[in-house]
Amino acid sequence: MLLTPGPTPVPEFVRKAMADITIHHRTPEFEKIFKETRELLLEIFDMPEAVMLASSGTGAMEACVTNLTCKKALTINSGKFGERFGKICKSFDIDFVEIKSEWNTPVCVDTVIDTIKNDSDIDAIFIQLCESAGGLRHPVEQIAAEVKKINPNIMIVADGITAIGVEKVDTSNLDAVITGSQKAFMLPPGLAMIGLSNAAVAKIETNAKGYYFNLSTEIKKQKENTTAWTAATTLIIGLKEILSHIKNNGGFEALYENTALRASATREALKAITCEIYPQTPANAMTTIYTEHAPAIRKILKTKYNVNIAGGQDHIKNLIFRINHMGLVEDFEASWVVNAVELAMDELGLREFDGTANKVFAQNMFKGK
Ligand SMILES: *Cc1c(COP(=O)(O)O)cnc(C)c1O
């Protein structure tokens, strides 16, 4: 059972759709598939423009930094992925300031506002909706609304790789929203997507940079249902399959509701067996537990109960474990995981097993439905 917060398992119907012969990307057949996929993407982003890039999510992060910053970037670093925006700026010699916090701490809205008020060079803000390093939800929509009141020309770029497809994100004040194939969309890695506002498209037209990740070239081509370079045809076919499946089986809203309920039932179940939730503001993409026994618990889960969950990185590598909620996860899978954690804690002598986790999970999951 693969329950890591990316990569997530690829459903059988998607694997089957991607197993067909590879079609040429410059054909009416593929253009039709591209157009349908693009329309589904525009719907899920709820934004006027979107592009698909053949790269992992980091490629889209890089494209947004280079194409949407003219003078100076503000990057929000509460974890590995926020830190990455700063590293990208550095590698391109783009001037940037960073607001750094511990990995369990969301950025403070007032700190962001003070920073942009005191530095008029800042013309783009880069932040994660969910910072996957600790499973943390940043107050992105609030920041975006406040910043736009002060200066509507500042671009708000949100990395939504573990948020789009997990929850309904209010994109009305966001200029670019990034996502990738291997998390909530349950595809193999290799496809990145960016939703764009009209203001972002306008800025890109005058500021486009780079060659492969030149977003102006991509927007021009993708409006015509083709791509600048060879499209990741197989992954785009997979994306169309998963998005239309979700749309035709209850819709995106039902998926968001189910994910939120499963995430809160998991948190309640683990809290009931004395687990400590790591982030101050947990996102629904994953549940992150803080414990020095994380490596031992993960090992027992993998070897005895056939569940693969993730650990941490860097300074909290051995201090957290993360359980995925993204994608089409069955209720019984989540229920099995909390049960397995309780059994592992019993084996480690931390707490005697009495079935509390599973009971609390079921009460929250099914009474809530
Ligand atoms: C996974 C992830 C990325 C992208 O990483 P890639 O390995 O380049 O796909 C970026 N941001 C967040 C928040 C992520 O979880």
Side-chain angles (χ1 to χ4, degrees):
M1 196 183 283
L2 179 63
L3 276 174
T4 55
T8 52
V10 184
E12 190 182 9
F13 67 89
V14 177
R15 280 184 274 127
K16 276 187 175 159
M18 294 192 305
D20 214 338
I21 51 159
T22 303
I23 49 177
H24 194 289
H25 56 289
R26 309 283 182 209
T27 54
E29 291 92 324
F30 185 68
E31 276 173 29
K32 182 172 177 289
I33 292 168
F34 191 91
K35 181 170 188 284
E36 287 168 19
T37 314
R38 181 174 149 83
E39 280 161 8
L40 286 161
L41 262 187
L42 292 171
E43 185 181 337
I44 197 167
F45 278 126
D46 196 13
M47 294 176 93
E49 190 52 74
V51 290
M52 293 173 243
L53 304 169
S55 78
S56 86
T58 306
M61 293 169 75
E62 176 172 321
C64 286
V65 169
T66 54
N67 285 262
L68 287 168
T69 317
C70 284
K71 272 187 125 170
K72 188 172 184 177
L74 167 60
T75 64
I76 308 303
N77 174 358
S78 292
K80 199 89 191 146
F81 295 101
E83 178 190 52
R84 189 169 298 176
F85 276 128
K87 286 184 170 173
I88 294 169
C89 290
K90 212 177 256 172
S91 77
F92 284 96
D93 274 328
I94 293 171
D95 199 10
F96 77 103
V97 279
E98 178 183 80
I99 300 174
K100 197 172 174 180
S101 312
E102 190 39 70
W103 291 15
N104 66 343
T105 309
V107 71
C108 169
V109 181
D110 291 339
T111 312
V112 175
I113 299 306
D114 289 345
T115 309
I116 61 152
K117 275 184 177 163
N118 292 325
D119 191 343
S120 59
D121 280 352
I122 294 169
D123 67 334
I125 299 176
F126 297 88
I127 186 169
Q128 272 61 40
L129 279 151
C130 166
E131 170 52 81
S132 316
L136 169 89
R137 184 64 162 84
H138 279 301
V140 177
E141 297 89 334
Q142 222 179 317
I143 290 169
E146 294 300 320
V147 168
K148 291 291 178 187
K149 274 187 226 160
I150 297 163
N151 182 353
N153 294 324
I154 296 178
M155 292 286 117
I156 312 285
V157 180
D159 169 359
I161 296 185
T162 49
I164 297 299
V166 172
E167 54 169 309
K168 174 81 189 121
V169 176
D170 175 7
T171 53
S172 53
N173 290 305
L174 305 181
D175 294 293
V177 180
I178 297 161
T179 192
S181 52
Q182 81 275 25
K183 310 269 173 89
F185 290 161
M186 308 191 88
L187 295 169
L191 189 70
M193 295 135 265
I194 313 173
L196 296 161
S197 70
N198 289 326
V201 173
K203 186 166 183 178
I204 288 163
E205 269 168 20
T206 59
N207 183 57
K209 301 256 168 54
Y211 187 75
Y212 186 74
F213 287 128
N214 183 308
L215 292 181
S216 175
T217 319
E218 282 301 342
I219 292 168
K220 217 171 289 158
K221 290 288 180 185
Q222 298 198 17
K223 271 185 195 295
E224 296 164 4
N225 299 311
T226 185
T227 48
W229 324 116
T230 304
T233 46
T234 307
L235 288 168
I236 292 171
I237 289 167
L239 181 60
K240 176 178 159 265
E241 201 64 25
I242 187 83
L243 293 181
S244 45
H245 174 91
I246 295 167
K247 194 174 170 173
N248 300 330
N249 288 272
F252 297 117
E253 286 302 328
L255 173 67
Y256 302 148
E257 265 172 46
N258 182 265
T259 305
L261 187 56
R262 209 163 5 82
S264 84
T266 303
R267 287 193 292 265
E268 291 311 314
L270 293 177
K271 279 197 279 187
I273 55 166
T274 72
C275 288
E276 182 187 341
I277 305 287
Y278 176 65
Q280 291 170 17
T281 49
N284 286 336
M286 67 198 76
T287 293
T288 306
I289 299 298
Y290 185 82
T291 165
E292 60 180 306
H293 303 287
I297 291 172
R298 284 181 60 219
K299 190 170 173 209
I300 294 170
L301 257 58
K302 191 161 181 195
T303 53
K304 236 174 158 173
Y305 303 110
N306 194 24
V307 182
N308 191 354
I309 59 171
Q313 291 163 293
D314 293 0
H315 65 295
I316 52 166
K317 187 177 190 317
N318 293 321
L319 291 172
I320 59 166
F321 64 81
R322 294 174 294 160
I323 299 169
N324 172 56
H325 304 305
M326 293 177 282
L328 306 171
V329 182
E330 296 288 351
D331 299 343
F332 59 77
E333 292 179 300
S335 154
W336 175 246
V337 177
V338 296
N339 188 53
V341 171
E342 187 177 349
L343 286 163
M345 286 171 71
D346 181 90
E347 186 172 330
L348 294 168
L350 301 172
R351 183 189 169 279
E352 202 179 326
F353 180 84
D354 60 5
T356 295
N358 211 359
K359 179 181 164 193
V360 173
F361 179 87
Q363 280 170 339
N364 281 274
M365 187 79 216
F366 302 107
K367 264 190 7 193
K369 266 191 178 172

